Amino acid sequence: CILKELARQGYTIYLTNLTEVADKIFKNELKLSFLKNVDFLVIDDIGSERMNKASFDETFVAEKTNEIITSREKNLKSTLFTSNLSISSLFKVGYSKKVIERIYSLSTRVIEIQTNESYRMKAIKELPF
């Protein structure tokens, strides 16, 4: 709802995850400059991508993530991160200390919800849809 209202007011918005970003940049379907300059960037499920292996794909994702986050921090661009991990847990999945510090500095407010339940673990008959 918030993003729809911002778009209605004329702000540019992009909702994505880092795996999709890397794939689209690699295929020339998305420009890095757009991600650096969009008014509101939402990076969904950060930490779910694999960045701690030594393959080209993970290195590419790590480098582009650092570049995007550094630019957005420098230019004071609004960035929303969602994750099933705490900020400190991002180190365990391969994020560098520098990137985690930048994510934290971009996060003027951190909202953490802890639960042992997940809709994925509920029986189908218990789901509300």
Side-chain angles (χ1 to χ4, degrees), residues 28-92:
N28 289 322
E29 296 173 356
L30 181 65
K31 299 289 182 200
L32 201 56
S33 60
F34 173 76
L35 296 172
K36 291 178 180 180
N37 294 303
V38 65
D39 294 322
F40 290 89
L41 176 63
V42 181
I43 300 177
D44 190 35
D45 211 8
I46 194 165
S48 65
E49 62 286 333
R50 296 181 320 161
M51 290 182 24
N52 55 352
K53 305 269 181 179
S55 77
F56 173 77
D57 290 342
E58 285 83 19
T59 302
F60 184 79
V61 171
E63 289 172 0
K64 295 308 171 193
T65 300
N66 184 41
E67 193 174 336
I68 292 164
I69 291 172
T70 299
S71 175
R72 294 189 68 77
E73 179 189 41
K74 178 182 171 187
N75 295 315
L76 303 174
K77 293 291 187 175
S78 297
T79 310
L80 174 67
F81 302 94
T82 70
S83 182
N84 290 330
L85 302 172
S86 65
I87 291 176
S88 59
S89 295
L90 293 174
F91 185 74
K92 295 175 187 171

Side-chain angles (χ1 to χ4, degrees), residues 11-12 20 22 24 68 94 112 117 119 128:
Y11 292 99
T12 55
E20 178 181 287
K24 287 187 174 186
I68 292 164
E112 186 173 344
E117 297 202 21
Y119 71 88

